[in-house]
Amino acid sequence: MANTPAPAPADTDLEAMLARALGKAAPEAAAPVEVDPATQRCGYVAIVGKPNVGKSTLLNALVGQKVSITSRKAQTTRHRITGIRTVAASQFIFVDTPGFQTRHGNALNRSLNKTVLGAVADVDLILFVVEAGHFNLADAKVLSLLPPSVPVVLLANKLDQVHRRGELAPWLRSMQERHPFAEFVPMSAKAPKDIERLFGICEKYLPQQPWIHDPEDLTDRSERFMAAEMVREKLFRLTGDELPYTSTVVIDRFEEEGQLRRIAATIVVEREGHKGMVIGDKGEKLKRIGTEARVELEKLWGGKVFLELWVKVRSGWADDDARVRSFGYE
């Protein structure tokens, strides 16, 4: 019987890399201590990838609380969302970005792509998120936009959905040929141990400098912004694929009275028929959107919320640069 040939040195290195990445234990959580400013680290970490690859879920897991909305719709995240997490002496400022848009060239998508490019231009580390074992043209487009001067970690998400781990080694080999990744991190954003391990991996890329934010901060986004995002999440989740992604939410009024917040918001759609989808039979759909958004906001802020929702038609707004800007897009 012929002997099985030994793996080539490159293959051996890849197998060892895969074994190390899968075998690293999560670090023990350190007890809170006074941190000497001279030992502090602080830096920006961009989370990039094609639409609907799990970037917002990852950001929320890293921060420990929902700061970026999620849904099955591919264009859910539309803004640069900053999530902040301070662990021991290191402050991580994570930047979640919209998925890079290649299908439509309207004003809204041009704005989203501008946000992606702006986010990766001035960070200390990039987490390039792909589905473990997969890589397609949409992934390749995002990878081609990454600046060569910034270290990139290949984050193979949804590892829990890979049934044959042995297939990851040849996939990793092909990925290493595409880009000189600084590290390879197979993980699931839903696994707490994987999230803790990721902090240890990212930490060494943060420059030594004083923290930028208060250690208790979780995001630099305003409550007004978070209110609009939460309504938009419920809008997309409850209308499914029926409603085009070009629908948006505008906050008309935001008032605080002690622990009570009074919010009036308008859901903007492009067609009269879409308005009916959002309102639903006897207003039930709109009522449910409002109720679920209110519950989420009360959980986020720890106080009562009074939320009024309206629906208006603004035909062609996503193709109008001025209107896109007026609705809060960069």
Side-chain angles (χ1 to χ4, degrees):
M1 182 181 292
N3 292 328
T4 303
D11 289 356
T12 304
D13 291 344
L14 283 166
E15 291 286 356
M17 184 179 179
L18 180 58
R20 286 196 305 272
L22 289 169
K24 285 180 182 175
E28 293 293 325
V33 292
E34 285 292 324
V35 177
D36 181 352
T39 68
Q40 290 180 353
R41 287 179 177 269
C42 182
Y44 288 86
V45 181
I47 302 173
V48 303
K50 68 183 179 185
N52 217 21
V53 78
K55 300 183 300 296
S56 296
T57 299
L58 175 64
L59 175 66
N60 292 336
L62 287 164
V63 174
Q65 185 168 312
K66 180 184 282 190
V67 294
S68 188
I69 66 173
T70 62
S71 85
R72 290 183 294 106
K73 271 195 185 295
Q75 299 88 353
T76 302
T77 299
R78 291 189 184 162
H79 301 270
R80 171 177 169 148
I81 310 291
T82 301
I84 304 158
R85 183 77 178 271
T86 304
V87 181
S90 297
Q91 186 169 90
F92 303 81
I93 305 172
F94 294 104
V95 183
D96 182 24
T97 61
F100 196 83
Q101 310 297 319
T102 58
R103 293 182 60 192
H104 307 288
N106 61 21
L108 175 60
N109 279 355
R110 288 196 297 272
S111 169
L112 303 189
N113 290 347
K114 184 179 177 183
T115 299
V116 177
L117 294 173
V120 300
D122 191 25
V123 296
D124 302 291
L125 178 66
I126 295 171
L127 299 181
F128 176 53
V129 186
V130 296
E131 291 186 29
H134 298 274
F135 189 86
N136 61 22
L137 286 175
D139 296 305
K141 178 63 177 178
V142 178
L143 186 59
S144 71
L145 299 170
L146 303 185
S149 57
V150 181
V152 181
V153 168
L154 174 62
L155 198 156
N157 193 27
K158 304 184 182 180
L159 182 66
D160 52 315
Q161 297 179 18
V162 175
H163 302 296
R164 296 179 180 177
R165 300 290 173 89
E167 296 176 0
L168 281 181
W171 174 77
L172 174 59
R173 185 184 309 114
S174 69
M175 294 302 296
Q176 287 292 90
E177 291 169 355
R178 295 178 186 277
H179 188 91
F181 293 104
E183 301 201 38
F184 164 57
V185 184
M187 65 173 292
S188 168
K190 296 179 180 178
K193 285 187 177 181
D194 287 353
I195 293 297
E196 291 303 317
R197 181 163 56 92
L198 187 56
F199 281 113
I201 291 167
C202 295
E203 184 177 39
K204 56 183 174 287
Y205 296 96
L206 305 185
Q208 280 199 309
Q209 61 180 352
W211 297 339
I212 295 172
H213 298 279
D214 186 283
E216 300 301 317
D217 287 350
L218 296 178
T219 183
D220 63 351
R221 285 296 194 172
S222 68
E223 290 190 353
R224 187 185 186 99
F225 173 85
M226 294 303 296
E229 287 290 275
M230 211 63 75
V231 172
R232 198 161 59 83
E233 177 186 71
K234 303 311 174 188
L235 171 68
F236 285 162
R237 286 195 169 193
L238 293 172
T239 56
D241 295 328
E242 303 171 67
L243 191 69
Y245 82 97
T246 46
S247 306
T248 195
V249 176
V250 178
I251 301 298
D252 304 309
R253 188 177 75 252
F254 190 104
E255 299 170 350
E256 291 187 56
E257 301 173 10
Q259 290 297 303
L260 171 67
R261 292 164 177 85
R262 295 183 181 276
I263 305 167
T266 298
I267 295 172
V268 179
V269 296
E270 287 204 299
R271 296 179 184 173
E272 198 66 38
H274 300 157
K275 182 176 180 179
M277 292 179 197
V278 175
I279 295 173
D281 185 35
K282 299 179 181 178
E284 284 303 310
K285 182 67 67 67
L286 184 63
K287 181 179 179 182
R288 189 175 169 196
I289 291 169
T291 298
E292 293 198 11
R294 177 182 56 77
V295 169
E296 285 269 21
L297 291 171
E298 288 179 341
K299 188 189 306 180
L300 179 66
W301 296 328
K304 297 295 289 182
V305 172
F306 179 75
L307 176 63
E308 286 183 287
L309 293 181
W310 309 91
V311 186
K312 292 182 181 178
V313 178
R314 293 289 182 268
S315 180
W317 78 266
D319 285 312
D320 184 333
D321 285 293
R323 185 160 277 174
V324 165
R325 286 193 298 272
S326 75
F327 286 167
Y329 297 99
E330 297 173 2

